[in-house]
Amino acid sequence: MKKNVEIKKLGINGEGIGYIDRKIVFVPGALPQEEVIVEIIKQTRTYSEGKLLQVVKPSKDRVTPKCRSYDNCQGCTMLHLSYFKQLNAKKEAVRESIRKYTEYDLSRTIFKDVIAAPSQEGFITAVNLPIVDFKGKISFGIYQRDSKYLTLMTRCFKQHPIINECLLKLEEILTTNKCKTYSDKFRTGLRFLKVKLIDNKLQLVFITGRDGLKEEIVKEISQLPHVASIFMSVNTSKHQEFDELGYSKLYGATRLELHDDKNQYLVSVKSKLPENIEMMWKQNQTIKSLVQDSQKIISLNCGIGLLELNLDQEIVAIDEKRYQIDDAKLNAKYLKKENVTFIAGDLDSKIVTYAKKKVYDTLIIQNERYGLSDTIKDTIKIAKFKTIIYACQSHSTLAKDLADLEKNYKLERIIGLDTSCHNSYLTTIVKLVRK
C-alpha cells in the first residue's frame, strides 16, 4: 500500500514522523517538511512503519549520503541530513526526552549547542567485525537486522583509512590462503576480527574455531604496514563475550602506547577503547572541568581509568571488568598516580561500601546505554552526594534516571558531545547539584 505523507519531525532514532489518517507513521530516511511517497510495511493498532520510495518535495537540509551502502546499511540513520542539522536534531531529542520523563524546567538549565566532532569521516579507530564469505572471498561485514543484506565494511568512510587499508590487505591474504569462515557444525574457521588503531599502530585479534590461524598466515599478516601485534582467541561458544577468555599473542608487542597531550598510557589487548578516541579526550576534559570544586570522588564504570588518571582529587574508581582494572592499576603505577584507588567488582555492592562512609562529595557515572540500578539510585539518595556527573549515550535512558533523582537534585548543566556521527546516538553529560 503506497501513501503520500508529509513529514512533521524527526523521531529519537532519526526516522521521519508523519501521520496517515491521524495515525503516526515512522519513515526512515525522511526529513521534516518533506513530502514523500512511502510503502506501508508494518501496521499496528497505534502506529505504522513506512519504506521511503520517493521524495516528492525535498528538505533544504537534505544532502547526498557519502556512503555507497547507505540505502541498505543501518549504521548511519542520519547521513542524509546536513551535519550541523544533525547536531540540532540531537539536542532537541535530548530536550524532548527530559521534558517527557521529568519535571525539570529546562529554561533554568544551561544547555549550549552540541559539541561537534572535529572529524566526521575516518574517526573510527576500533572495530569488531564478523568474518564472512562473500562470493567466494573472505571479507568482513555485518548482516543488517531483519534482512539478509550483507554490508561489507572494508571501505566504510567512518573508519580510519589505515583500518580500511588493512582490511583490504587481509581480504587478499585470507582468500589467497584459502581460509574458511566459521562452521558451527565443525567448530572450525574464522569468526571475528577485532581491530584497534592506537597512534597509527594496529592491534589485530582473530577469534577462531579450533583450527586457529596458521603460522605462515600470521607471518604474512605481520608484514603489513602499521601492524604492531596479532592475537588469537579460540572460541567456539555461542556467546560473544570474547574478552572473558584469554588471548594468545602470535606476533608483536604485548601492549601499545596511547598518548594524550600530557601522558602516555599502556593499552593491552583487552583494554576497551571507544570507537572515537578524539571525542573521548574531549569527554574527559569536559568532565574534568565539571568537578573542579570536588574533593573526594567515586567514579563508576571507569574502564581503564583514562579519565580518573587525569584528575587530581582523591578518587575511588570502580569497574566490573577485572581486566579493565588491571590495566588501570598498571597505568597508575606507570604514571606514579597515587590519588586513585581502582577497584574491580559489582557496582551495586561496591558503591554501597564506599558511599555509606559519606566522605565522598561527588559521584561520576559513565554509562553507555544502560540505566542505573535501583541500588545505585537508592544509594545516591542516602549518601547525599553534593554533585553528580552522569554521562550516557542514550538520552531516553538518561531522562528516566533523572526522573528518579529530580526530587533531591537540580539539573544545573547539560553538555552534548557528538561522539558518534551520522546516527541518533549522542553522549550527554549532565551535572546534578543537591538541592
Side-chain angles (χ1 to χ4, degrees):
M1 180 172 58
K2 296 180 181 180
K3 292 283 185 177
N4 279 60
V5 180
E6 184 180 348
I7 304 300
K8 301 294 186 180
K9 61 180 181 178
L10 285 180
I12 61 172
N13 296 313
E15 71 277 49
I17 293 179
Y19 296 87
I20 298 177
D21 298 329
R22 298 183 180 179
K23 181 192 287 187
I24 194 168
V25 56
F26 298 102
V27 185
L31 296 175
Q33 286 78 56
E34 288 190 332
E35 182 183 338
V36 299
I37 299 175
V38 303
E39 178 183 356
I40 303 302
I41 57 175
K42 180 179 180 180
Q43 291 196 67
T44 72
R45 186 174 59 84
T46 56
Y47 71 91
S48 300
E49 293 181 7
K51 179 181 179 181
L52 179 63
L53 298 179
Q54 181 183 346
V55 178
V56 178
K57 180 184 174 184
S59 164
K60 64 181 181 358
D61 299 316
R62 178 174 285 277
V63 296
T64 301
K66 297 179 181 180
C67 177
R68 61 181 182 175
S69 300
Y70 183 68
D71 290 339
N72 295 296
C73 179
Q74 299 170 10
C76 298
T77 56
M78 301 177 77
L79 191 56
H80 56 290
L81 179 61
S82 65
Y83 180 64
F84 285 98
K85 287 295 182 179
Q86 292 180 31
L87 302 184
N88 292 341
K90 291 182 182 186
K91 180 178 181 179
E92 187 56 33
V94 173
R95 285 185 177 278
E96 284 299 313
S97 289
I98 294 176
R99 289 190 187 115
K100 178 179 179 180
Y101 293 107
T102 80
E103 300 296 326
Y104 281 122
D105 180 359
L106 290 180
S107 67
R108 299 175 178 270
T109 300
I110 299 171
F111 190 5
K112 296 182 180 180
D113 291 341
V114 171
I115 297 172
S119 306
Q120 291 103 53
E121 299 182 27
F123 61 87
I124 292 179
T125 54
V127 297
N128 302 318
L129 298 172
I131 300 176
V132 298
D133 189 320
F134 179 69
K135 297 181 179 180
K137 178 175 68 176
I138 300 297
S139 191
F140 311 92
I142 299 173
Y143 284 97
Q144 301 301 322
R145 294 186 303 274
D146 304 320
S147 78
K148 294 182 179 180
Y149 185 84
L150 173 66
T151 301
L152 295 181
M153 299 300 293
T154 51
R155 291 184 172 87
C156 176
F157 81 100
K158 294 202 303 184
Q159 292 170 179
H160 195 286
I162 290 176
I163 290 181
N164 286 342
E165 178 188 346
C166 182
L167 292 176
L168 290 170
K169 294 290 187 181
L170 288 173
E171 265 190 351
E172 183 180 341
I173 290 173
L174 298 177
T175 302
T176 301
N177 283 277
K178 299 181 179 179
C179 293
K180 302 293 184 182
T181 56
Y182 186 71
S183 164
D184 283 321
K185 180 179 180 180
F186 299 106
R187 296 187 177 183
T188 57
L190 303 176
R191 295 187 70 182
F192 286 86
L193 173 68
K194 297 161 67 76
V195 183
K196 281 191 290 201
L197 178 65
I198 302 173
D199 290 346
N200 289 335
K201 294 182 179 179
L202 290 167
Q203 182 187 81
L204 307 180
V205 180
F206 289 88
I207 313 298
T208 78
R210 294 180 296 191
D211 50 341
L213 203 59
K214 294 180 179 179
E215 186 176 341
E216 56 268 27
I217 297 176
V218 173
K219 184 175 181 181
E220 195 170 347
I221 294 173
S222 71
Q223 303 304 309
L224 294 179
H226 305 287
V227 172
S229 57
I230 304 171
F231 292 81
M232 180 182 70
S233 177
V234 174
N235 190 313
T236 59
S237 64
K238 293 188 180 297
H239 74 85
Q240 295 178 10
E241 185 58 53
F242 302 126
D243 288 331
E244 297 296 341
L245 299 178
Y247 293 101
S248 301
K249 187 177 75 172
L250 305 180
Y251 163 79
T254 301
R255 290 181 171 85
L256 298 184
E257 295 177 353
L258 173 66
H259 298 83
D260 64 10
D261 292 337
K262 298 189 304 181
N263 296 319
Q264 173 180 295
Y265 308 90
L266 299 177
V267 179
S268 76
V269 63
K270 288 187 176 183
S271 294
K272 184 178 180 181
L273 295 176
E275 65 175 25
N276 192 334
I277 292 288
E278 203 170 21
M279 288 302 284
M280 178 198 71
W281 297 128
K282 185 65 178 178
Q283 178 176 330
N284 288 353
Q285 291 168 6
T286 301
I287 294 175
K288 184 176 181 177
S289 71
L290 295 175
V291 298
Q292 286 181 344
D293 297 330
S294 301
Q295 302 297 319
K296 295 187 177 183
I297 299 172
I298 297 176
S299 181
L300 302 183
N301 293 318
C302 65
I304 63 173
L306 297 179
L307 165 65
E308 294 75 12
L309 291 170
N310 271 282
L311 301 178
D312 297 322
Q313 295 92 336
E314 180 183 329
I315 306 169
V316 169
I318 307 168
D319 197 278
E320 292 184 338
K321 304 294 187 183
R322 178 164 293 280
Y323 54 82
Q324 300 269 57
I325 293 298
D326 288 343
D327 281 353
K329 288 181 177 179
L330 175 68
N331 280 298
K333 184 177 180 181
Y334 182 65
L335 297 173
K336 298 180 181 178
K337 293 282 287 185
E338 298 181 353
N339 61 304
V340 188
T341 301
F342 289 104
I343 305 292
D346 177 69
L347 296 184
D348 287 357
S349 62
K350 294 299 181 182
I351 191 175
V352 170
T353 299
Y354 286 94
K356 69 181 180 181
K357 299 177 182 179
K358 295 188 177 181
V359 298
Y360 296 93
D361 55 71
T362 299
L363 176 66
I364 297 174
I365 306 165
Q366 298 183 81
N367 265 357
E368 292 184 350
R369 301 183 184 106
Y370 307 105
L372 303 179
S373 69
D374 289 338
T375 298
I376 291 176
K377 285 184 278 194
D378 289 341
T379 302
I380 287 172
K381 296 170 187 176
I382 295 170
K384 298 181 179 180
F385 297 104
K386 292 181 181 178
T387 304
I388 298 174
I389 309 299
Y390 185 6
C392 187
Q393 292 180 7
S394 167
H395 39 76
S396 58
T397 297
L398 173 66
K400 291 174 186 177
D401 285 338
L402 291 179
D404 291 328
L405 300 175
E406 66 178 316
K407 181 179 178 181
N408 303 106
Y409 287 87
K410 67 177 181 178
L411 180 56
E412 181 178 282
R413 185 181 292 268
I414 306 171
I415 301 171
L417 293 95
D418 194 29
T419 54
S420 188
C421 304
H422 310 307
N423 59 41
S424 59
Y425 300 129
L426 180 73
T427 296
T428 306
I429 304 172
V430 297
K431 181 178 182 180
L432 301 170
V433 178
R434 189 162 183 85
K435 293 179 178 179

